[in-house]
């Protein structure tokens, strides 16, 4: 928690100002009650009016100050908190940006929501876009929990402590015995009760979280597996189990609820009994009605900011895991290893020699002794089943993944279209210019023409300035894909890598787009991973991968001419797509 | 292709929604600053009822629904930009209509009358989930104890008499017990209500088309109801019942002080409404802007790898901070106005104490009033405002709950899809013939039927291969036979009887289905294989696995058949999962086999194994197989092609 709170340091002055305003506002509330009590009790002794005039002014002033200070407190608190939040966001971003690149399919945290392609591949490691989006949502929530930490925990705790100290101090000065009673009561309500509540919350919190996860997993089964369950008559069984999870969660939540309500009731009890005790002690000590009234009513008022501490303590307990995760993120973010690239004689030449990649030291090889070479102005297509190692190969080619063994000669500036490419919530233009901020309007149009994006953009009322991305204008899977492809082309890298460039496009369009992309190569090397073989006759070399190895290589004409996996794939594709096969 | 999943009130909600429970911590929030502006506001229940504050209090809170949430952040997309999180519900007046905003599109939707009616129905329904009468009784008891407590304390102080103190302690204990009891009751009823809704949702999981939204709703989304059910609703009772009683007691003690309260209490919602009205248009644009800026962080994190790919990460580092500060500025300018309404309430509350205390003091001076009465007045005056303040702090958390409730009831009220309904008839044990007669299936929103006038006859023992481009309706054809979809026109006849008349569970026992992407569960391999028959003998499971060419890899797993799999079968490759699904089919030993491209996109070794196992499975059974690989096609007696939902026969030689 300390680590996370370090982001507050630059804004400490503001936070202290907010805290002071809060403390003063709460003190005004207590002073309002105290002075009103004094005024009334003193007045009943019928002194001359002049004796009351100061109290009258004080009552009015405290009433106004209290409202105005609360306003100031709230504004200053939010302002300081939001400043700290901005700082935290920046630092978290920096940590993540510096962090080692996650292996494909093993996103550290920032994954791609996406999933627009009709046939998003499902392999064990890839886990699904939904999970990535979940992880991302959790992290953003963790970062945002800083607000709760400051606004709902630290600032209220500060105010409560200050008010308790001042009120108890005042009582001690006025009548030591009564002061002791007040102090004891405030300690119980402000320390013992919150501590117990927090302890119980921590015990229960873990179990509630566990029950929640179990329920989420079961709901997911019921949803994603609904056809499998129905087909095998197992729906009722799993539903029953989900109901048991629901009941368990309800029981635990009920327990947690009991803890809060007991804490609240205990607070109210301590407040009232303390006031009774203070009044009793004061009366027994022979104090007059003014002193008794002031002591009793001040005590009651002093508890108002103290009672919420039970909630604040519980909340604090709940926030701890988030703070711990953030601290770990800020601390341990591993630095990216220097990519294994050696500038070859020709900067734009790409060569792998006997490259093997393993994600775990004793795990299976995702790439197993792969050697290949792509020269400038040449194109290479990689085909193969899910899990054959295509994405891993692209990762190595892009310099994002170091080989476990072997040599990868990768020129700098390998760019392209990856599976997790993201459309940002901003204009189409800004999304494209990301690849090359200095691109001219003509270059933009040229790239968009190649990918058949231009027509769509020009049909939009706001054209290039149309906002897209999550929260922006909805795009079809095909429009999204073409936008990402345009961006890759616009980057105009030395080596262009494309992962499934025509996924989500209908076949006729896919073929035209692929032809456009291949024709635009302008002397650079192009590597594309694809499931669709039509159009690959325009590619210089094709490699077929299976279980991390290259099992076939050649040209489209060559590979379709001989029996083997490529020809099987080709026959299947013709059967699926071309009516002429009949 | 896919309908975008509804964005749900989500993860962030828990952190962004303040639940400023306890009294005193509360920032007064004048219920209905946007009273007139809010689309969700049931304006009919106007304040100003005779007994004064109390009746004004409740509707004021009601009126505020549409308003609050403002800065509490767009939990709708999980960005939890929530900025006003604070200890306060003071975000009033920022942005309208969030209660109705279940997706981004509805932001700031100007409410119509029907909208207001829907909101009212929603509230009524939620009210029905809670023991409202018990809350009312508890609130009355609480009011009684508040009055008793003030009386006893005043008597002790005024008479310098310790005599009433034991009674006072008793009253305090009673209040504490009530606080505990009503809190516990509120939480328990909430938990119960949520469990009931959750059960209802889970039972509907079968009808859901897509995704993540549903799971989130069934888990965290429901929790958004917490503040509304256990915080706002009980507080509404308190706000409605406690002030009138307190004011009544005050009226007996000193009618002029009671009059001051009766006059000032309605000022709270009135001033609030004025502030809200005045700032409505400004805040709506601010709200959108805040949302947008707040979402930037998430957007950038989601696109981090893209930024990295284009070497733009460093540039964004500054942008993240700039945007966060812009967000802060936008939020603060909204809050400055929003907190104004809170300021009004705060001032009314504390000034009323001054307003009451000073004249009372002067009258004491003149001897026109006793100290005991004066103390009762001083002690009870804040109690008249307190419930209203507490209500104000809670209603914006409540607004989030309403949005969730709307979605939940939407799902619960939807017609169950026909496919979930089953007939009474027992299907034949070994059907001799399955006939599709001119079957058409349409999916809502699709521009052409998924199946278009399909007629097909499958005789016992016959194996029919279906080919065709993706999206042609092949999987729909299998789903039709499984009873997952129903024909919009035409019929499916099994030995002359309509499929719709069968007991579906019984009918599915006749079918062994191997889908394209089988769903595996987080359970042992054995349990995954015996999904259809959890009591199946492990030896049978083993035999089925052997037949499905799965035994080898299963035995290589750390705990063999007892190895627990991860969610969705994590830990197995696509080919291995497919073989587990084949083992399921073997174990069920059904007379009819439905295969849906079992080898699509498998690696070569898996493909060979799966193909072999699948062909063996077809032996001696009736089968419909969607397939494109020559090896599988060769096992079929007949090949048909689906294109654009229409069926045509294909000469076998041409296909293979």
């Amino acid at each position: 928690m300390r680590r996370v709170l370090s982001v507050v340091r630059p804004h400490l002055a503001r936070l202290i100002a907010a805290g002071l305003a809060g403390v003063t506002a709460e003190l005004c509330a207590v002073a309002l009650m105290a002075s009103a009590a004094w005024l009334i009790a003193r007045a009943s002794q019928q002194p001359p009016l002049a004796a009351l005039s100061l109290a009258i002014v004080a009552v009015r002033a405290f009433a106004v100050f209290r409202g105005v200070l609360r306003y100031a407190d709230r504004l200053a608190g939010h302002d300081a908190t939001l400043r700290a939040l901005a700082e935290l966001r920046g630092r978290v971003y920096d940590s993540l940006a510096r962090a080692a690149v996650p292996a494909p399919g093993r996103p550290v945290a920032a994954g791609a929501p996406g999933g627009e392609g009709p046939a998003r591949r499902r392999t064990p490691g890839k886990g699904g876009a939904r999970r990535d989006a979940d992880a991302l949502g959790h992290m953003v929530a963790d970062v945002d929990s800083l607000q709760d930490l400051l606004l709902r925990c630290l600032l209220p705790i500060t105010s409560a402590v200050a008010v308790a100290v001042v009120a108890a101090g005042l009582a001690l000065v006025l009548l030591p015995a009564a002061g002791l009673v007040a102090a004891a009561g405030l300690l119980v309500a402000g320390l013992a009760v919150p501590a117990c509540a927090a302890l119980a919350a921590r015990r229960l919190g873990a179990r509630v979280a566990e029950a929640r996860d179990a329920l989420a997993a079961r709901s997911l089964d019921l949803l994603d597996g609904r056809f499998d369950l129905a087909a095998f008559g197992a729906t009722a069984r799993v539903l029953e189990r989900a109901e048991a999870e629901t009941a368990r969660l309800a029981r635990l939540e009920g327990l947690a609820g009991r803890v809060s309500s007991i804490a609240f009731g205990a607070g109210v009890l301590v407040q009232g009994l303390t006031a009774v005790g203070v009044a009793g002690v004061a009366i027994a000590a022979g104090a007059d009605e003014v002193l008794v009234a002031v002591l009793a009513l001040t005590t009651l008022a002093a508890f108002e900011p103290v009672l919420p501490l039970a909630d604040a303590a519980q909340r604090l307990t709940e926030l701890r895991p988030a703070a711990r995760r953030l601290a770990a993120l800020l601390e341990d973010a591993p630095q990216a290893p220097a990519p294994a690239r050696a500038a070859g004689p020709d900067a734009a030449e790409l060569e792998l020699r006997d490259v093997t990649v393993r994600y775990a030291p004793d795990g299976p090889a995702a790439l197993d002794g792969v050697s290949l070479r792509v020269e400038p102005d040449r194109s290479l297509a990689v085909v193969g089943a899910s899990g054959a190692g295509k994405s891993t190969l692209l990762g190595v080619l892009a310099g994002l993944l170091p080989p476990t063994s072997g040599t990868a000669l990768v020129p700098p500036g390998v760019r392209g279209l990856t599976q997790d490419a993201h459309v940002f919530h901003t204009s189409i233009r800004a999304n494209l210019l990301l690849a090359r901020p200095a691109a001219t309007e003509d270059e933009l149009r040229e790239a968009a023409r190649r990918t058949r994006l231009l027509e769509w953009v020009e049909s939009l009322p706001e054209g290039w300035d149309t906002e897209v991305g999550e929260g922006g204008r909805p795009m079809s899977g095909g429009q999204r894909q073409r936008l990402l492809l345009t961006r890759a082309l616009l980057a105009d890298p030395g080596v262009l890598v494309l992962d499934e460039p025509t996924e989500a496009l209908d076949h006729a369009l896919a073929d035209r787009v692929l032809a456009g992309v291949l024709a635009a190569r302008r002397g650079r090397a192009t590597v594309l991973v694809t499931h669709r073989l039509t159009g690959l006759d325009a590619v210089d070399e094709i490699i077929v991968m299976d279980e991390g190895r290259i099992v076939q290589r050649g040209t489209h004409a060559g590979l379709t001419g001989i029996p083997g996996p490529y020809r099987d794939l080709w026959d299947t594709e013709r059967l699926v797509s071309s009516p002429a096969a009949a | 292709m896919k309908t975008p999943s509804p964005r749900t009130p989500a993860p962030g909600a828990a952190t962004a929604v303040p639940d400023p429970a306890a009294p005193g911590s509360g920032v007064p929030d004048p219920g209905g600053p946007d009273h007139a502006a809010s689309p969700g506001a049931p304006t009919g229940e106007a304040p100003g009822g005779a007994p004064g504050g109390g009746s004004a209090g409740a509707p004021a809170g009601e009126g505020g629904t549409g308003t609050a949430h403002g800065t509490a952040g767009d939990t709708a997309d999980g960005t939890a930009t929530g900025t006003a999180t604070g200890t306060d519900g003071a975000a009033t007046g920022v942005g309208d209509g969030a209660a109705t905003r279940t997706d981004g599109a509805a932001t700031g939707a100007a409410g119509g009358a029907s909208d207001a009616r829907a909101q009212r129905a929603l509230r009524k329904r939620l009210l029905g989930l809670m023991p409202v009468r018990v809350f009312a009784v508890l609130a009355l008891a609480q009011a009684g104890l508040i009055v008793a407590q003030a009386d006893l304390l005043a008597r002790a102080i005024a008479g310098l008499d310790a005599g009433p103190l034991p009674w006072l302690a008793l009253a305090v204990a009673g209040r504490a017990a009530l606080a505990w009891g009503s809190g516990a009751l509120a939480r328990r009823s909430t938990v119960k209500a949520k469990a009931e809704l959750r059960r209802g949702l889970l039972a509907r999981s079968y009808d859901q088309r897509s995704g993540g939204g549903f799971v989130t709703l069934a888990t965290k989304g429901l929790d958004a109801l917490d503040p509304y059910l256990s915080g706002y609703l009980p507080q509404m009772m308190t706000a409605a019942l406690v002030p009138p009683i307190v004011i009544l007691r005050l009226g007996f003690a000193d009618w002029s002080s009671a009059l001051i309260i009766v006059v000032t209490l309605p000022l709270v919602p009135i001033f609030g409404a004025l502030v809200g009205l005045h700032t409505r248009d400004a805040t709506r644009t601010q709200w959108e802007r805040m949302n947008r800026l707040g979402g930037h962080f998430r957007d950038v994190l989601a696109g981090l790898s893209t930024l990295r790919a284009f070497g733009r990460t460093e540039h964004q580092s500054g942008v993240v901070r700039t945007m966060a500060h812009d967000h802060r500025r936008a939020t603060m300018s909204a809050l400055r106005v929003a907190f104004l309404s809170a300021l009004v309430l705060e001032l009314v509350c504390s000034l009323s104490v001054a307003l009451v205390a000073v004249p009372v003091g002067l009258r004491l001076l003149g001897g026109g009033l006793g100290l005991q009465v004066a103390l009762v007045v001083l002690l009870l005056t804040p109690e008249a405002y307190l419930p209203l303040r507490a209500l104000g702090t809670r209603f914006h958390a409540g607004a989030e709950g309403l949005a969730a409730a709307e979605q939940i009831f939407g799902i619960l009220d939807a017609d169950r899809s026909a496919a979930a309904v089953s007939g009474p008839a027992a299907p034949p044990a070994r059907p001799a013939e399955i006939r599709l007669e001119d079957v058409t299936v349409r999916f809502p929103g699709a521009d052409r039927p998924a199946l278009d006038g399909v007629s097909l006859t499958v005789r016992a023992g016959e194996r029919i291969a279906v080919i065709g481009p993706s999206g042609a309706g092949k999987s729909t054809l299998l789903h039709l036979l499984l009873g997952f979809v129903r024909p919009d026109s035409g019929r499916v006849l099994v030995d002359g009887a309509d499929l719709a008349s069968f007991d579906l569970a019984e009918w599915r026992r006749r079918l062994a289905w191997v889908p394209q992407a089988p769903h595996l569960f987080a359970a042992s391999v054995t349990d995954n294989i015996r999904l259809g028959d959890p009591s199946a003998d492990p030896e049978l499971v083993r035999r089925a696995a052997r037949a499905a060419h799965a035994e080898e890899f299963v035995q290589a797993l750390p705990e063999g058949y007892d190895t627990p799999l991860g969610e969705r079968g994590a830990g197995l490759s696509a080919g291995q999962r497919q073989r587990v699904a084949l083992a399921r089919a073997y174990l069920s030993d059904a007379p009819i086999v439905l295969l849906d491209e079992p080898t699509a996109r498998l690696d070569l070794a898996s493909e060979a194994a799966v193909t072999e196992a699948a062909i063996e499975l077809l032996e001696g059974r009736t089968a419909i197989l969607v397939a494109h690989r020559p090896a599988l096609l060769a096992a079929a007696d007949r090949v048909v092609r689906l294109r654009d939902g229409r069926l045509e026969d294909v000469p076998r030689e041409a296909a293979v």
Side-chain angles (χ1 to χ4, degrees):
Chain A
M1 198 153 285
R2 191 163 308 151
R3 169 111 208 153
V4 172
L5 282 177
S6 72
V7 299
V8 172
R9 211 167 296 140
H11 312 290
L12 205 57
R14 283 169 197 280
L15 203 65
I16 289 174
L20 278 179
V23 166
T24 325
E26 292 298 344
L27 285 177
C28 281
V30 176
L32 172 64
M33 242 10 223
S35 56
W38 189 88
L39 169 67
I40 283 177
R42 182 79 184 97
S44 75
Q45 296 172 339
Q46 305 195 331
L49 178 61
L52 298 181
S53 53
L54 184 64
I56 291 176
V57 173
V59 166
R60 288 180 179 150
F62 286 137
V64 174
F65 282 156
R66 182 186 168 211
V68 173
L69 279 170
R70 277 304 288 256
Y71 181 69
D73 155 39
R74 229 171 281 130
L75 282 183
H78 278 90
D79 187 58
T81 300
L82 290 174
R83 280 173 198 273
L85 183 66
E87 177 71 24
L88 183 62
R89 284 184 171 184
R91 284 204 205 169
V92 166
Y93 172 85
D94 289 345
S95 291
L96 287 172
R98 272 198 316 269
V101 178
R106 272 152 247 252
V108 165
E116 266 143 300
R120 206 139 262 275
R121 291 166 298 169
R122 282 199 188 155
T123 53
K126 287 184 174 123
R130 188 190 300 168
R131 181 104 32 101
D132 296 350
D134 264 7
L136 182 62
H138 282 312
M139 186 160 53
V140 173
D142 279 357
V143 171
D144 282 345
S145 71
L146 176 74
Q147 297 176 80
D148 267 17
L149 184 62
L150 295 178
L151 287 171
R152 288 187 58 193
C153 299
L154 291 191
L155 286 175
I157 289 173
T158 313
S159 300
V161 168
V163 167
V165 167
V166 171
L170 181 74
L172 277 169
V173 170
L174 292 176
L175 187 69
L180 284 178
V181 174
L186 286 167
L187 271 179
V188 172
L191 215 62
V193 171
C196 290
L199 201 68
R202 180 151 59 180
R203 289 249 175 94
L204 276 173
R207 288 169 65 198
V208 168
E210 193 187 307
R212 223 172 268 260
D213 285 350
L215 182 65
R218 204 64 65 204
S219 323
L220 205 67
D221 278 347
L222 276 170
L223 188 72
D224 284 356
R226 61 192 185 279
F227 289 136
D228 301 70
L229 290 173
F232 288 92
T235 311
R237 197 148 36 84
V238 175
L239 200 57
E240 224 167 81
R241 227 176 297 157
E243 289 190 358
E245 310 274 15
T246 301
R248 182 161 77 106
L249 181 61
R251 212 178 48 244
L252 289 170
E253 282 185 335
L255 273 177
R258 216 174 302 163
V259 169
S260 335
S261 43
I262 287 176
F264 182 56
V268 171
L269 185 68
V270 174
Q271 178 186 31
L273 289 183
T274 308
V276 170
V278 166
V281 167
I283 292 170
D288 70 346
E289 51 267 75
V290 175
L291 190 52
V292 177
V294 168
L295 283 173
L297 268 62
T298 307
T299 305
L300 276 180
F303 272 90
E304 293 299 334
V306 172
L307 292 184
L309 287 191
D311 268 2
Q314 269 176 285
R315 188 79 194 115
L316 204 58
T317 316
E318 287 162 22
L319 290 177
R320 276 170 80 160
R324 211 172 305 134
R325 284 191 292 268
L326 281 180
L329 185 72
L330 291 172
E331 211 154 334
D332 305 336
Q335 302 297 306
R341 57 171 52 142
D346 187 333
E349 188 170 325
L350 201 62
E351 186 171 1
L352 303 190
R353 282 185 217 134
D354 202 19
V355 165
T356 296
V357 172
R358 287 174 206 279
Y359 290 118
D362 52 349
L367 271 192
D368 194 354
V370 168
S371 299
L372 59 83
R373 192 180 150 85
V374 191
E375 282 161 20
D377 203 31
R378 306 275 292 172
S379 52
L380 172 77
V382 185
V383 299
S386 308
K390 303 186 304 280
S391 295
T392 305
L393 178 64
L394 273 197
V396 173
L397 290 181
L400 297 174
L401 259 182
T404 312
S405 69
T407 319
L409 296 170
V410 181
V414 179
R415 303 266 160 84
L417 173 69
T418 50
Q419 282 292 320
D420 58 0
H422 181 70
V423 175
F424 291 90
H425 180 196
T426 176
S427 65
I428 294 177
R429 186 196 308 276
N431 260 298
L432 295 178
L433 288 183
L434 181 76
R436 191 144 58 98
T440 64
E441 181 83 20
D442 281 346
E443 287 167 324
L444 212 61
R445 294 176 63 85
E446 170 62 17
R449 202 175 51 73
R450 297 245 176 232
T451 59
R452 315 260 152 190
L453 181 74
L454 191 59
E455 249 167 72
W456 175 63
V457 172
E458 287 181 339
S459 75
L460 295 169
E462 291 177 73
W464 297 101
D465 297 318
T466 308
E467 300 250 323
V468 290
E470 201 177 330
R473 184 179 214 286
M475 288 185 291
S476 74
Q479 286 155 354
R480 181 178 181 278
Q481 185 72 7
R482 280 178 288 158
L483 174 70
L484 295 173
L485 201 52
T486 310
R487 181 159 75 193
L489 275 190
L490 193 66
D492 196 19
V495 178
L496 179 67
V497 291
L498 302 170
D499 199 351
E500 299 285 354
T502 58
E503 200 174 25
L505 302 183
D506 72 57
H507 289 159
L509 188 59
D511 297 344
R512 276 186 294 161
V513 168
L514 184 61
V517 169
L518 287 174
R521 73 178 157 229
R522 312 205 316 177
R524 68 171 158 250
T526 306
V527 180
L528 67 118
V529 162
T530 180
H531 274 107
R532 186 167 160 77
L533 309 185
T534 308
L536 291 192
D537 44 358
V539 172
D540 298 316
E541 190 185 10
I542 297 166
I543 60 174
V544 182
M545 299 202 56
D546 190 52
E547 295 185 330
R549 287 195 204 93
I550 297 177
V551 292
Q552 268 192 311
R553 61 203 313 165
T555 60
H556 181 74
L559 289 173
T560 48
I562 51 166
Y566 190 86
R567 187 155 89 185
D568 288 349
L569 285 170
W570 177 241
D571 285 345
T572 302
E573 185 167 308
R574 276 197 307 167
L575 201 57
V576 174
S577 54
S578 79
Chain B
M1 198 126 239
K2 243 164 79 178
T3 48
S5 61
R7 302 207 283 153
T8 46
T15 59
V17 177
D19 179 13
S25 78
V27 168
D29 197 299
D34 287 13
H35 195 82
S38 153
T43 38
E45 308 147 64
S55 63
E62 293 249 334
T65 0
T67 69
H69 60 282
T71 40
D74 180 11
T75 50
D77 60 10
T79 48
T81 47
T83 48
T85 350
T87 42
D88 35 58
T92 5
V94 184
D96 288 3
T100 56
R101 183 175 39 89
T102 50
D103 59 8
T107 318
S114 63
D115 210 13
R117 214 172 304 134
Q119 286 281 314
R120 216 169 312 159
L122 194 63
R123 283 149 190 288
K124 205 171 272 174
R125 215 161 151 182
L126 284 171
L127 222 55
L129 293 172
M130 301 293 281
V132 181
R133 288 209 186 108
V134 184
F135 284 131
V137 171
L138 290 175
L140 285 175
Q142 194 191 346
L145 285 174
I146 287 172
V147 169
Q149 198 181 326
D151 274 336
L152 289 165
L153 186 57
R155 204 187 307 162
I157 295 174
L160 289 176
D161 172 15
L165 288 183
W167 294 106
L168 180 57
L170 209 63
V172 162
R175 254 191 105 174
L178 270 184
W180 164 69
S182 61
L185 178 70
R187 297 291 290 254
R188 221 187 55 192
S189 338
T190 303
V191 163
K192 231 174 78 188
K194 279 195 328 187
E196 204 179 300
L197 292 175
R198 190 167 274 150
R199 265 194 284 276
L201 278 182
L202 289 176
R204 299 288 181 135
S205 58
Y206 184 80
D207 294 334
Q208 301 312 309
R209 281 200 181 278
S210 77
F214 177 78
V215 174
T216 314
L217 191 65
T219 52
K220 286 177 197 139
L222 265 171
D223 294 337
L225 287 177
D226 273 344
Y228 188 84
L229 292 180
S230 68
Y232 185 75
L233 278 186
Q235 189 59 41
M236 235 167 72
M237 286 296 129
T238 314
L241 296 174
V242 171
I245 292 176
V246 167
I247 291 172
L248 207 64
R249 171 68 189 92
L250 276 171
F252 281 117
D254 178 38
W255 65 268
S256 61
S257 298
L259 192 65
I260 291 178
I261 296 174
V262 170
V263 171
T264 52
L265 209 54
L267 286 183
V268 170
I270 291 172
F271 270 120
L274 283 178
V275 172
L277 212 60
H278 192 66
T279 56
R280 175 170 53 141
D281 294 332
T283 48
R284 186 174 300 169
T285 47
Q286 265 166 348
W287 159 245
E288 277 162 17
R289 193 173 136 71
M290 269 162 40
N291 244 356
R292 164 87 201 271
L293 291 168
H296 177 257
F297 181 56
R298 184 196 162 95
D299 195 33
V300 166
L301 289 193
L304 195 57
S305 61
T306 301
L307 293 171
R308 203 179 271 136
F310 292 108
R312 302 287 287 167
T313 48
E314 265 167 51
H315 171 72
Q316 281 291 325
S317 170
V319 177
V320 165
R321 287 179 171 83
T322 313
M323 292 290 268
H325 279 294
D326 285 352
H327 177 233
R328 173 182 60 81
R329 268 187 287 273
T331 307
M332 289 313 295
S333 71
L335 286 183
R336 262 189 285 280
V337 177
F339 286 154
L340 268 187
S341 55
L343 174 65
V344 170
L345 179 46
E346 190 83 36
L347 281 177
V348 170
C349 282
S350 52
L351 279 177
S352 71
V353 173
L355 227 52
V356 168
V358 173
V360 163
L362 293 177
R363 278 159 61 208
L364 277 167
L365 204 59
L369 200 70
L371 175 58
Q372 188 183 329
V373 171
L375 281 172
V376 167
V377 171
L378 181 63
L379 284 166
L380 284 184
T381 300
E383 299 287 356
Y385 296 89
L386 210 60
L388 189 55
R389 277 173 49 175
L391 186 70
T393 62
R394 283 169 190 213
F395 73 62
H396 106 266
E400 303 282 349
L402 283 183
E406 200 176 12
Q407 275 190 312
I408 291 163
F409 288 136
I411 289 176
L412 293 180
D413 296 345
D415 286 335
R416 308 216 60 168
S417 69
V421 185
S422 186
R430 300 194 75 83
E433 182 197 79
I434 301 171
R435 201 164 68 219
L436 275 63
E437 278 184 358
D438 201 20
V439 170
T440 298
V441 174
R442 279 171 206 284
F443 290 120
D447 48 3
R448 63 165 179 78
L451 290 178
D452 191 357
V454 169
S455 296
L456 176 70
T457 305
V458 187
R459 285 186 186 78
E462 201 178 12
R463 285 166 298 189
I464 297 184
V466 184
I467 62 172
S470 56
K474 292 168 297 183
S475 294
T476 306
L477 181 68
L478 298 190
H479 282 192
L480 184 73
L481 294 172
L482 282 156
F484 295 152
V485 293
R486 291 265 161 119
D488 290 287
S489 66
R491 292 191 301 172
V492 182
L493 299 173
V494 178
D495 289 357
D498 197 322
L499 181 65
S501 68
F502 289 155
D503 174 345
L504 270 183
E506 196 52 43
W507 164 245
R508 286 176 187 146
R509 252 183 266 262
R510 314 279 186 275
L511 308 173
W513 177 51
V514 182
Q516 220 179 102
H519 185 88
L520 268 53
F521 301 87
S524 71
V525 176
T526 301
D527 285 345
N528 264 293
I529 291 176
R530 57 183 184 188
L531 179 67
D533 180 8
S535 58
D537 185 70
E539 187 42 49
L540 287 176
V541 170
R542 216 160 279 231
R543 205 176 302 161
R546 214 169 299 142
H549 293 231
E551 181 154 84
E552 199 178 325
F553 79 80
V554 173
Q555 276 175 345
L557 292 172
E559 294 165 59
Y561 283 90
D562 296 328
T563 311
L565 299 180
E567 248 175 75
R568 300 168 200 250
L572 298 186
S573 75
Q576 291 168 336
R577 286 201 295 264
Q578 204 58 262
R579 275 175 275 174
V580 170
L582 274 167
R584 274 181 191 164
Y586 268 110
L587 188 69
S588 76
D589 197 26
I592 302 164
V593 176
L594 305 175
L595 293 182
D596 196 350
E597 294 210 73
T599 62
R601 292 192 173 186
L602 295 188
D603 59 281
L604 300 174
S606 293
E607 182 181 341
V610 171
T611 305
E612 208 170 317
I615 290 173
E616 285 160 17
L617 178 65
L618 300 180
E619 206 83 5
R621 298 176 215 258
T622 312
I624 297 181
L625 50 138
V626 175
H628 295 105
R629 291 308 170 97
L632 265 178
L633 287 178
D637 305 314
R638 196 142 73 84
V639 178
V640 294
R641 181 202 310 281
L642 266 174
R643 200 185 318 153
D644 294 344
R646 267 183 269 256
L647 197 71
E648 52 199 47
D649 273 307
V650 179
R652 253 180 70 91
E653 315 70 54
V656 182

